[in-house]
Amino acid sequence: FNVIPGKGLRGFLQVGSQKVEAYLGNRALIQEIGLTTSSYEDKIMALENEGKTVMILVVDKIIKGALAVADVLKEESKKAVDALKNNRLEVWMITGDNKRTAMAIAKQVGIENVMSEVLPDKKSEKVRELQVQGKIVVMVGDGINDAPALTQANIGIAMGEGTDIAMESASITLMRGDLMLIPEVIKLSKRTMRIIKQNL
């Protein structure tokens, strides 16, 4: 099978003596192969509004079904976002998910600034866009796709349970997957700078 970055998978199924082309992916992939999801939109939208990512299954140019998956939010997600906002920091979410799913997740944790439908190789460009606006960007990530954005950011923070390449690309690696360590790192950094300035 082939991976189509940011869209899904393409492969072949053996049906009897025939090899049949199959796809599993998002709307963009379905449109690319010349099909429409219009008759399933109500069901797809209902799942997306629950914060789920919907992947559509196509076998031999016929839509056969859909899978809805969702990342389970960490218990401390909202608490960490609130702590960052209380420190007068803007919190942004950059995701490959479609707008509806992204907004549903963002709403649960209290994030107002959302960049959705960002292809894996475009995350670093989105970080650069924020930097061009004069913002100092701290990027938090854990996957292979986050590595270029972690490098581009003024400060990259990798989660310790993430991929090796993310940890290599980041300035800071958290030893636990606890999101509350992020505001703690910022607090500790400010304290360190204050002590350095006092000593000078």
Side-chain angles (χ1 to χ4, degrees):
F1 70 91
N2 304 105
V3 175
I4 303 158
K7 293 179 183 174
L9 304 170
R10 172 184 176 266
F12 293 90
L13 297 174
Q14 193 74 36
V15 180
S17 59
Q18 275 188 309
K19 244 189 181 181
V20 179
E21 194 173 37
Y23 293 88
L24 180 66
N26 59 19
R27 277 190 190 83
L29 180 63
I30 303 312
Q31 286 167 2
E32 207 172 272
I33 60 175
L35 297 175
T36 177
T37 56
S38 56
S39 52
Y40 308 99
E41 273 307 309
D42 288 350
K43 288 177 183 176
I44 292 170
M45 281 166 57
L47 291 164
E48 288 173 348
N49 287 330
E50 291 172 16
K52 293 173 180 165
T53 299
V54 178
M55 295 173 288
I56 299 140
L57 176 67
V58 174
V59 179
D60 200 17
K61 295 277 183 182
I62 300 163
I63 293 176
K64 293 286 190 178
L67 300 171
V69 295
D71 284 327
V72 178
L73 280 172
K74 293 186 176 207
E75 284 178 33
E76 73 275 12
S77 297
K78 177 144 181 40
K79 205 171 154 189
V81 169
D82 289 342
L84 292 168
K85 284 161 81 174
N86 289 340
N87 275 322
R88 291 178 303 195
L89 297 169
E90 283 181 23
V91 180
W92 287 73
M93 184 166 99
I94 303 177
T95 177
D97 279 329
N98 69 73
K99 191 172 183 179
R100 227 181 326 272
T101 301
M103 293 308 288
I105 297 290
K107 192 177 176 184
Q108 287 178 52
V109 292
I111 296 175
E112 291 88 19
N113 307 301
V114 179
M115 292 177 176
S116 57
E117 296 176 31
V118 180
L119 291 173
D121 58 340
K122 302 292 180 193
K123 283 186 180 180
S124 59
E125 285 179 26
K126 292 296 179 184
V127 169
R128 199 176 300 115
E129 278 177 29
L130 294 172
Q131 289 170 324
V132 167
Q133 294 171 30
K135 298 180 194 298
I136 294 169
V137 179
V138 177
M139 167 75 187
V140 181
D142 63 359
I144 293 167
N145 297 333
D146 297 325
L150 288 166
T151 304
Q152 175 63 41
N154 299 82
I155 301 163
I157 299 178
M159 305 305 280
E161 59 202 18
T163 60
D164 288 344
I165 191 163
M167 290 188 271
E168 283 291 320
S169 306
S171 324
I172 299 166
T173 298
L174 303 178
M175 298 315 289
R176 300 191 313 277
D178 182 356
L179 294 173
M180 282 307 292
L181 290 175
I182 298 163
E184 198 56 43
V185 161
I186 293 166
K187 192 170 140 190
L188 184 63
S189 302
K190 285 181 176 176
R191 187 166 162 238
T192 304
M193 287 307 295
R194 196 165 57 244
I195 291 166
I196 289 169
K197 285 174 183 176
Q198 279 173 358
N199 288 342
L200 286 170

